[in-house]
Amino acid sequence: MTDAIKAPDLLRLSENVVLARFETLKVYAALGAVRTLLERGTVKPGQTLVDSSSGIYALALAMACHRYGLHCHIVASTTVDATMRAQLEVLGATVDQMPPSKDLRLDQEGRVRRVRALLAERPGMHWMRQYHDAVHYTGYREFAALVDRALPGVPLTVVGAVGTGSSSGGLVQALRGTGRDVRLLGVQPFGSVTFGSEGFSDPEAIIAGIGSSIPFDNVRHDLYDTLHWLDFRHAMAGAVGLLREHAVFAGLSTGAAHLVAGWEAARHPDRTHLVIGADTGHRYTERVFSRHQEALDPHTLKPHQITGLAELAPPWSTMEWGRRQYDVGAAAHDVRRPAVPAVPAQAAPAFTAPPPFETPAQEDQAP
């Protein structure tokens, strides 16, 4: 089943916008990570894998554990709904769920504390550390090979939520390793520390899974060319617009990326824009789709273009990042927060390509 659902459908939304529509994006990450850890001997059959998740990684990890004969324990966000929890439990995962909270920052920090407590109680568990362990990059090489075959020879711009950093980072690093011209546009919510918007609070809360209240080691800031920060209402406009115009039922991170890609594609018609559609819209039915009449018209929306973080402002800002480094920890403790100066494209730090890209061998097809 993991082989059946891991690859996305590639849907052309316009002449230069293509959507990679996943049922659950993180299957690539979880399968690649678990397989690699087993090959290294880091984990053994029958061992329990534990991690924190706001939803789609939890399901992917439970499926990978089910496939490879491992136990799974999920410390789940308050955003994990009854449908998701039921799937996890039927697949054999045990679930600790955080109590209801409107503050997803506290939710995320509480989940990490709970994982640490579990490891102290049961040291035989292996913490997957999806936010920090680079092993989660490995599975996206297969996705990169699929994209390379499907969209050959075109200047490519990948548009996706930053989140843990593994999906967009793993895809783009592998594609650049082939020598292709690939730009990466990251999407962030206001309130996330990852790219310096922690000084803001979104009245309708951080969009689950695309931002963070803590630094993530798997976010490689120097892979990103451009950043877009959007509030909940703009992500909602993108998600409702995607369903209304293309009959694609997808989540908020996909909606945010779709809105960004539409604006970017109009400004760069010579490039093909690949939108990462991480999951379906089912868990957003109440918060987003049942309120479709409230949705803003995406065609009337545009970002505030800024040159430094000091100019950052809701509801939508964009900035040329220029593949630079960023010390999240230092920035979070610097209350003065100087602006990050703009870097002209020609002055951006050179990208060091990874080792030559190889298409991974097909996974075993055993049922």
Side-chain angles (χ1 to χ4, degrees), residues 227-270:
L227 263 295
H228 285 258
W229 295 262
L230 284 82
D231 70 358
F232 171 86
R233 306 273 312 168
H234 281 62
M236 177 180 175
V240 172
L242 185 60
L243 179 57
R244 182 171 286 137
E245 295 177 27
H246 300 287
V248 174
F249 186 49
L252 273 180
S253 68
T254 306
H258 172 241
L259 182 64
V260 166
W263 186 78
E264 291 279 355
R267 298 174 71 243
H268 302 284
D270 57 318

Tab-separated table of all heavy atoms in Angstrom, residues 227-270:
chain	number	residue	atom	x	y	z
A	227	LEU	N	11.195	33.540	-0.185
A	227	LEU	CA	10.278	33.172	0.893
A	227	LEU	C	8.972	33.945	0.752
A	227	LEU	O	8.981	35.112	0.368
A	227	LEU	CB	10.890	33.487	2.252
A	227	LEU	CG	11.590	32.334	2.988
A	227	LEU	CD1	10.590	31.259	3.371
A	227	LEU	CD2	12.735	31.761	2.185
A	228	HIS	N	7.873	33.279	1.079
A	228	HIS	CA	6.559	33.913	1.173
A	228	HIS	C	5.980	33.589	2.546
A	228	HIS	O	5.980	32.424	2.956
A	228	HIS	CB	5.603	33.385	0.096
A	228	HIS	CG	5.863	33.914	-1.270
A	228	HIS	ND1	5.097	34.916	-1.845
A	228	HIS	CD2	6.798	33.583	-2.196
A	228	HIS	CE1	5.546	35.169	-3.058
A	228	HIS	NE2	6.584	34.382	-3.306
A	229	TRP	N	5.496	34.601	3.242
A	229	TRP	CA	4.807	34.424	4.523
A	229	TRP	C	3.325	34.758	4.298
A	229	TRP	O	2.996	35.839	3.804
A	229	TRP	CB	5.360	35.361	5.588
A	229	TRP	CG	6.782	35.113	5.980
A	229	TRP	CD1	7.228	34.411	7.063
A	229	TRP	CD2	7.975	35.609	5.327
A	229	TRP	NE1	8.611	34.438	7.128
A	229	TRP	CE2	9.091	35.161	6.068
A	229	TRP	CE3	8.191	36.389	4.181
A	229	TRP	CZ2	10.402	35.471	5.705
A	229	TRP	CZ3	9.486	36.686	3.813
A	229	TRP	CH2	10.579	36.225	4.569
A	230	LEU	N	2.421	33.851	4.679
A	230	LEU	CA	0.980	34.062	4.484
A	230	LEU	C	0.229	33.806	5.786
A	230	LEU	O	0.623	32.943	6.570
A	230	LEU	CB	0.419	33.111	3.423
A	230	LEU	CG	0.690	33.399	1.960
A	230	LEU	CD1	2.064	32.890	1.570
A	230	LEU	CD2	-0.355	32.722	1.080
A	231	ASP	N	-0.878	34.529	5.959
A	231	ASP	CA	-1.727	34.241	7.112
A	231	ASP	C	-2.760	33.178	6.735
A	231	ASP	O	-2.856	32.733	5.581
A	231	ASP	CB	-2.392	35.514	7.644
A	231	ASP	CG	-3.465	36.093	6.727
A	231	ASP	OD1	-3.704	35.548	5.621
A	231	ASP	OD2	-4.077	37.109	7.113
A	232	PHE	N	-3.525	32.763	7.738
A	232	PHE	CA	-4.526	31.712	7.543
A	232	PHE	C	-5.528	32.074	6.449
A	232	PHE	O	-5.882	31.238	5.620
A	232	PHE	CB	-5.267	31.468	8.871
A	232	PHE	CG	-6.457	30.564	8.744
A	232	PHE	CD1	-6.317	29.191	8.823
A	232	PHE	CD2	-7.733	31.092	8.538
A	232	PHE	CE1	-7.421	28.345	8.699
A	232	PHE	CE2	-8.839	30.263	8.417
A	232	PHE	CZ	-8.679	28.884	8.501
A	233	ARG	N	-5.993	33.320	6.421
A	233	ARG	CA	-7.032	33.710	5.462
A	233	ARG	C	-6.545	33.585	4.019
A	233	ARG	O	-7.326	33.237	3.123
A	233	ARG	CB	-7.484	35.156	5.723
A	233	ARG	CG	-7.938	35.426	7.141
A	233	ARG	CD	-9.365	35.141	7.443
A	233	ARG	NE	-10.354	35.655	6.537
A	233	ARG	CZ	-11.627	35.264	6.584
A	233	ARG	NH1	-12.016	34.354	7.459
A	233	ARG	NH2	-12.508	35.766	5.761
A	234	HIS	N	-5.262	33.868	3.783
A	234	HIS	CA	-4.725	33.742	2.435
A	234	HIS	C	-4.529	32.277	2.043
A	234	HIS	O	-4.786	31.892	0.896
A	234	HIS	CB	-3.414	34.522	2.316
A	234	HIS	CG	-3.616	35.994	2.137
A	234	HIS	ND1	-4.230	36.779	3.078
A	234	HIS	CD2	-3.303	36.826	1.090
A	234	HIS	CE1	-4.284	38.034	2.644
A	234	HIS	NE2	-3.737	38.080	1.445
A	235	ALA	N	-4.093	31.459	2.998
A	235	ALA	CA	-3.984	30.024	2.717
A	235	ALA	C	-5.362	29.439	2.426
A	235	ALA	O	-5.525	28.612	1.516
A	235	ALA	CB	-3.343	29.308	3.903
A	236	MET	N	-6.352	29.880	3.163
A	236	MET	CA	-7.739	29.445	2.937
A	236	MET	C	-8.209	29.849	1.535
A	236	MET	O	-8.833	29.048	0.822
A	236	MET	CB	-8.649	30.056	4.004
A	236	MET	CG	-10.126	29.754	3.845
A	236	MET	SD	-11.083	30.527	5.182
A	236	MET	CE	-12.758	30.142	4.675
A	237	ALA	N	-7.901	31.065	1.134
A	237	ALA	CA	-8.271	31.524	-0.209
A	237	ALA	C	-7.658	30.627	-1.279
A	237	ALA	O	-8.313	30.273	-2.267
A	237	ALA	CB	-7.827	32.969	-0.410
A	238	GLY	N	-6.388	30.242	-1.079
A	238	GLY	CA	-5.715	29.376	-2.044
A	238	GLY	C	-6.324	27.992	-2.101
A	238	GLY	O	-6.498	27.409	-3.181
A	239	ALA	N	-6.670	27.433	-0.916
A	239	ALA	CA	-7.234	26.082	-0.862
A	239	ALA	C	-8.633	26.045	-1.476
A	239	ALA	O	-8.964	25.146	-2.265
A	239	ALA	CB	-7.265	25.592	0.583
A	240	VAL	N	-9.482	27.015	-1.122
A	240	VAL	CA	-10.839	27.061	-1.680
A	240	VAL	C	-10.779	27.339	-3.178
A	240	VAL	O	-11.514	26.739	-3.974
A	240	VAL	CB	-11.697	28.112	-0.946
A	240	VAL	CG1	-13.042	28.305	-1.649
A	240	VAL	CG2	-11.918	27.694	0.509
A	241	GLY	N	-9.872	28.234	-3.589
A	241	GLY	CA	-9.719	28.532	-5.008
A	241	GLY	C	-9.277	27.323	-5.811
A	241	GLY	O	-9.731	27.107	-6.940
A	242	LEU	N	-8.401	26.502	-5.230
A	242	LEU	CA	-7.927	25.292	-5.916
A	242	LEU	C	-9.070	24.310	-6.137
A	242	LEU	O	-9.186	23.703	-7.215
A	242	LEU	CB	-6.817	24.647	-5.083
A	242	LEU	CG	-6.105	23.426	-5.667
A	242	LEU	CD1	-5.433	23.761	-6.992
A	242	LEU	CD2	-5.082	22.889	-4.664
A	243	LEU	N	-9.925	24.162	-5.152
A	243	LEU	CA	-11.079	23.274	-5.296
A	243	LEU	C	-12.089	23.858	-6.279
A	243	LEU	O	-12.616	23.154	-7.152
A	243	LEU	CB	-11.733	23.050	-3.929
A	243	LEU	CG	-12.969	22.153	-3.893
A	243	LEU	CD1	-12.675	20.769	-4.476
A	243	LEU	CD2	-13.499	22.025	-2.463
A	244	ARG	N	-12.338	25.148	-6.172
A	244	ARG	CA	-13.346	25.802	-7.020
A	244	ARG	C	-12.935	25.786	-8.493
A	244	ARG	O	-13.759	25.541	-9.381
A	244	ARG	CB	-13.552	27.239	-6.535
A	244	ARG	CG	-14.602	28.020	-7.303
A	244	ARG	CD	-14.882	29.345	-6.625
A	244	ARG	NE	-15.679	29.166	-5.410
A	244	ARG	CZ	-15.461	29.790	-4.258
A	244	ARG	NH1	-14.445	30.637	-4.145
A	244	ARG	NH2	-16.248	29.562	-3.222
A	245	GLU	N	-11.678	26.043	-8.767
A	245	GLU	CA	-11.229	26.183	-10.152
A	245	GLU	C	-10.762	24.877	-10.781
A	245	GLU	O	-10.885	24.697	-12.000
A	245	GLU	CB	-10.091	27.210	-10.224
A	245	GLU	CG	-10.529	28.623	-9.849
A	245	GLU	CD	-9.368	29.605	-9.854
A	245	GLU	OE1	-8.386	29.364	-10.598
A	245	GLU	OE2	-9.424	30.598	-9.115
A	246	HIS	N	-10.205	23.956	-9.957
A	246	HIS	CA	-9.595	22.750	-10.525
A	246	HIS	C	-10.136	21.450	-9.942
A	246	HIS	O	-9.651	20.375	-10.293
A	246	HIS	CB	-8.080	22.803	-10.315
A	246	HIS	CG	-7.427	23.995	-10.955
A	246	HIS	ND1	-7.257	24.111	-12.323
A	246	HIS	CD2	-6.917	25.133	-10.404
A	246	HIS	CE1	-6.655	25.263	-12.587
A	246	HIS	NE2	-6.444	25.903	-11.453
A	247	ALA	N	-11.122	21.537	-9.033
A	247	ALA	CA	-11.721	20.361	-8.404
A	247	ALA	C	-10.703	19.543	-7.623
A	247	ALA	O	-10.852	18.327	-7.484
A	247	ALA	CB	-12.426	19.489	-9.442
A	248	VAL	N	-9.680	20.215	-7.094
A	248	VAL	CA	-8.660	19.545	-6.285
A	248	VAL	C	-8.928	19.863	-4.812
A	248	VAL	O	-8.889	21.024	-4.402
A	248	VAL	CB	-7.237	20.003	-6.670
A	248	VAL	CG1	-6.211	19.391	-5.717
A	248	VAL	CG2	-6.922	19.607	-8.103
A	249	PHE	N	-9.189	18.832	-4.031
A	249	PHE	CA	-9.495	18.964	-2.605
A	249	PHE	C	-8.210	18.723	-1.832
A	249	PHE	O	-7.773	17.581	-1.671
A	249	PHE	CB	-10.566	17.945	-2.228
A	249	PHE	CG	-11.091	18.046	-0.818
A	249	PHE	CD1	-11.500	19.259	-0.284
A	249	PHE	CD2	-11.204	16.905	-0.040
A	249	PHE	CE1	-12.009	19.340	1.007
A	249	PHE	CE2	-11.716	16.971	1.253
A	249	PHE	CZ	-12.122	18.190	1.772
A	250	ALA	N	-7.576	19.792	-1.380
A	250	ALA	CA	-6.257	19.678	-0.750
A	250	ALA	C	-6.197	20.549	0.500
A	250	ALA	O	-7.044	21.409	0.728
A	250	ALA	CB	-5.163	20.091	-1.736
A	251	GLY	N	-5.150	20.322	1.305
A	251	GLY	CA	-5.019	20.990	2.589
A	251	GLY	C	-4.531	22.425	2.500
A	251	GLY	O	-4.282	22.968	1.415
A	252	LEU	N	-4.371	23.030	3.674
A	252	LEU	CA	-4.009	24.449	3.748
A	252	LEU	C	-2.616	24.739	3.225
A	252	LEU	O	-2.377	25.779	2.619
A	252	LEU	CB	-4.122	24.940	5.197
A	252	LEU	CG	-5.492	25.435	5.642
A	252	LEU	CD1	-5.417	25.889	7.092
A	252	LEU	CD2	-5.984	26.584	4.776
A	253	SER	N	-1.649	23.858	3.474
A	253	SER	CA	-0.308	24.127	2.960
A	253	SER	C	-0.305	24.119	1.439
A	253	SER	O	0.378	24.922	0.795
A	253	SER	CB	0.698	23.112	3.504
A	253	SER	OG	0.463	21.815	3.000
A	254	THR	N	-1.102	23.226	0.850
A	254	THR	CA	-1.240	23.198	-0.610
A	254	THR	C	-1.924	24.470	-1.098
A	254	THR	O	-1.516	25.058	-2.116
A	254	THR	CB	-2.055	21.970	-1.055
A	254	THR	OG1	-1.462	20.794	-0.507
A	254	THR	CG2	-2.094	21.866	-2.574
A	255	GLY	N	-2.951	24.903	-0.378
A	255	GLY	CA	-3.632	26.146	-0.751
A	255	GLY	C	-2.694	27.334	-0.727
A	255	GLY	O	-2.698	28.170	-1.649
A	256	ALA	N	-1.870	27.420	0.314
A	256	ALA	CA	-0.903	28.515	0.410
A	256	ALA	C	0.089	28.472	-0.748
A	256	ALA	O	0.384	29.498	-1.375
A	256	ALA	CB	-0.173	28.439	1.750
A	257	ALA	N	0.609	27.275	-1.053
A	257	ALA	CA	1.570	27.135	-2.151
A	257	ALA	C	0.925	27.433	-3.497
A	257	ALA	O	1.545	28.027	-4.385
A	257	ALA	CB	2.161	25.722	-2.144
A	258	HIS	N	-0.339	27.053	-3.659
A	258	HIS	CA	-1.061	27.325	-4.899
A	258	HIS	C	-1.223	28.832	-5.113
A	258	HIS	O	-1.031	29.347	-6.230
A	258	HIS	CB	-2.427	26.640	-4.852
A	258	HIS	CG	-3.341	26.987	-5.971
A	258	HIS	ND1	-4.571	27.590	-5.785
A	258	HIS	CD2	-3.212	26.839	-7.306
A	258	HIS	CE1	-5.147	27.785	-6.953
A	258	HIS	NE2	-4.352	27.337	-7.890
A	259	LEU	N	-1.565	29.557	-4.062
A	259	LEU	CA	-1.713	31.011	-4.171
A	259	LEU	C	-0.390	31.653	-4.560
A	259	LEU	O	-0.326	32.509	-5.457
A	259	LEU	CB	-2.207	31.576	-2.840
A	259	LEU	CG	-2.451	33.091	-2.795
A	259	LEU	CD1	-3.577	33.489	-3.739
A	259	LEU	CD2	-2.776	33.545	-1.371
A	260	VAL	N	0.686	31.240	-3.899
A	260	VAL	CA	2.018	31.775	-4.192
A	260	VAL	C	2.428	31.462	-5.623
A	260	VAL	O	2.942	32.325	-6.355
A	260	VAL	CB	3.045	31.200	-3.193
A	260	VAL	CG1	4.472	31.450	-3.672
A	260	VAL	CG2	2.825	31.794	-1.809
A	261	ALA	N	2.199	30.229	-6.054
A	261	ALA	CA	2.614	29.820	-7.401
A	261	ALA	C	1.881	30.614	-8.475
A	261	ALA	O	2.468	30.961	-9.517
A	261	ALA	CB	2.366	28.331	-7.598
A	262	GLY	N	0.612	30.923	-8.243
A	262	GLY	CA	-0.126	31.713	-9.231
A	262	GLY	C	0.482	33.082	-9.425
A	262	GLY	O	0.627	33.562	-10.562
A	263	TRP	N	0.869	33.721	-8.313
A	263	TRP	CA	1.479	35.052	-8.400
A	263	TRP	C	2.862	34.969	-9.044
A	263	TRP	O	3.214	35.778	-9.922
A	263	TRP	CB	1.579	35.666	-7.005
A	263	TRP	CG	2.057	37.082	-6.996
A	263	TRP	CD1	1.340	38.199	-7.299
A	263	TRP	CD2	3.387	37.538	-6.679
A	263	TRP	NE1	2.128	39.322	-7.180
A	263	TRP	CE2	3.388	38.947	-6.798
A	263	TRP	CE3	4.559	36.886	-6.294
A	263	TRP	CZ2	4.524	39.706	-6.559
A	263	TRP	CZ3	5.697	37.647	-6.053
A	263	TRP	CH2	5.673	39.047	-6.178
A	264	GLU	N	3.650	33.989	-8.648
A	264	GLU	CA	5.005	33.844	-9.185
A	264	GLU	C	4.986	33.455	-10.666
A	264	GLU	O	5.799	33.939	-11.464
A	264	GLU	CB	5.775	32.794	-8.384
A	264	GLU	CG	6.127	33.207	-6.957
A	264	GLU	CD	7.364	34.094	-6.895
A	264	GLU	OE1	8.007	34.304	-7.947
A	264	GLU	OE2	7.692	34.566	-5.788
A	265	ALA	N	4.068	32.584	-11.047
A	265	ALA	CA	4.009	32.115	-12.435
A	265	ALA	C	3.671	33.241	-13.395
A	265	ALA	O	4.159	33.284	-14.532
A	265	ALA	CB	2.988	30.986	-12.557
A	266	ALA	N	2.831	34.184	-12.962
A	266	ALA	CA	2.495	35.330	-13.803
A	266	ALA	C	3.706	36.228	-14.015
A	266	ALA	O	3.843	36.866	-15.072
A	266	ALA	CB	1.356	36.122	-13.159
A	267	ARG	N	4.602	36.292	-13.047
A	267	ARG	CA	5.800	37.132	-13.141
A	267	ARG	C	6.953	36.429	-13.842
A	267	ARG	O	7.873	37.075	-14.328
A	267	ARG	CB	6.238	37.554	-11.735
A	267	ARG	CG	5.192	38.393	-11.006
A	267	ARG	CD	5.578	38.683	-9.570
A	267	ARG	NE	6.682	39.635	-9.477
A	267	ARG	CZ	7.883	39.374	-8.960
A	267	ARG	NH1	8.143	38.179	-8.488
A	267	ARG	NH2	8.802	40.311	-8.920
A	268	HIS	N	6.919	35.100	-13.884
A	268	HIS	CA	8.010	34.324	-14.491
A	268	HIS	C	7.422	33.275	-15.435
A	268	HIS	O	7.486	32.067	-15.169
A	268	HIS	CB	8.849	33.653	-13.401
A	268	HIS	CG	9.446	34.607	-12.416
A	268	HIS	ND1	10.543	35.389	-12.708
A	268	HIS	CD2	9.073	34.915	-11.141
A	268	HIS	CE1	10.836	36.136	-11.651
A	268	HIS	NE2	9.965	35.871	-10.698
A	269	PRO	N	6.848	33.710	-16.564
A	269	PRO	CA	6.185	32.770	-17.480
A	269	PRO	C	7.135	31.786	-18.145
A	269	PRO	O	6.701	30.780	-18.696
A	269	PRO	CB	5.533	33.697	-18.513
A	269	PRO	CG	6.329	34.964	-18.460
A	269	PRO	CD	6.756	35.109	-17.033
A	270	ASP	N	8.442	32.064	-18.083
A	270	ASP	CA	9.431	31.195	-18.713
A	270	ASP	C	9.783	29.980	-17.866
A	270	ASP	O	10.471	29.066	-18.335
A	270	ASP	CB	10.715	31.985	-18.984
A	270	ASP	CG	11.288	32.610	-17.720
A	270	ASP	OD1	10.490	33.150	-16.920
A	270	ASP	OD2	12.519	32.569	-17.524
